[in-house]
Amino acid sequence: MSLPYTMVFALLMTEMIVFLFLIFPLPVNWRRGLLKFLAESPLMGSIQYAMKIVFIFVFILFVDSLNRVIKVEEIGDSTLPHHGHGAEASVAARRFYAQRNMYLTGFTLFLSLILNRTFFMILDLLKSEEKMEVIKKQASQQSKEYERALESETKLKKEITELSEIVASHAGAKRDLENLKKQAKQQQEEYLRMADENNAMEMKLMGDKKEAKKDI
């Protein structure tokens, strides 16, 4: 295997390791911190730029290997009927190497697309989980505030009920006091009336006594 395709094979192995690392069940905090670092690090931006250039090179190799496969098939179709087993073996070897290089570079490009998409899908999923956690915290806080509001409303209703009872008892006491005042006033008026009648009767008796003495 030539040096370029050896490097492509090493890149393919690296992609497979990274892909396995992405799908490996890690703790959420570790995965979140690592993916945030990979997404926000300036170094990763430079690495991604370099990888784009590398994949352009891999794509060129893929196109070259595809052309080689086509040429080998054409050569095989034109030379095999006129040559012996040696030429057939040579064409088969060339076909094998061309197809190997084509599959190697093609699968490397395909896995790079899957790896890129998987990375951003997991990153979006983690962001969605963070948003869900924030929403859950806000909902929990709102539910606690709602419970506090209900408790305060219950306390206010209880205080209003107690105040209403106190006002009602005060109103009853006021009515009783008014009744007592009315009774006292009536008793006073009755007492004054009876006193006036008593005075009148005493005056009458005294007048009768004076008339009796005159007659004697």
Side-chain angles (χ1 to χ4, degrees), residues 40-140:
E40 298 174 359
S41 175
L43 178 62
M44 289 305 301
S46 302
I47 293 175
Q48 287 179 358
Y49 179 76
M51 292 303 297
K52 288 178 182 179
I53 297 174
V54 171
F55 284 118
I56 291 173
F57 173 70
V58 174
F59 180 75
I60 294 171
L61 290 177
F62 173 73
V63 174
D64 179 67
S65 61
L66 183 61
N67 289 330
R68 287 178 183 274
V69 169
I70 296 172
K71 287 180 180 179
V72 168
E73 292 295 334
E74 292 176 353
I75 293 172
D77 293 336
S78 61
T79 58
L80 283 180
H82 307 288
H83 296 79
H85 295 288
E88 182 179 355
S90 176
V91 170
R94 292 176 64 184
R95 181 186 297 115
F96 169 76
Y97 291 127
Q99 290 178 351
R100 180 200 64 185
N101 295 335
M102 181 185 69
Y103 291 137
L104 178 63
T105 53
F107 191 70
T108 302
L109 292 173
F110 180 70
L111 187 57
S112 68
L113 295 176
I114 294 177
L115 188 62
N116 184 64
R117 185 59 183 163
T118 303
F119 174 77
F120 285 106
M121 285 179 64
I122 294 174
L123 192 62
D124 292 338
L125 179 62
L126 291 176
K127 289 180 179 179
S128 300
E129 289 178 354
E130 289 180 353
K131 291 179 181 179
M132 285 296 296
E133 289 179 358
V134 172
I135 292 171
K136 285 181 180 179
K137 289 180 180 178
Q138 291 177 352
S140 177

Side-chain angles (χ1 to χ4, degrees), residues 197-210:
E197 289 179 356
N198 187 24
N199 290 331
M201 288 179 67
E202 287 180 354
M203 293 294 292
K204 186 178 181 181
L205 288 174
M206 289 177 67
D208 291 340
K209 285 181 180 181
K210 288 179 179 180

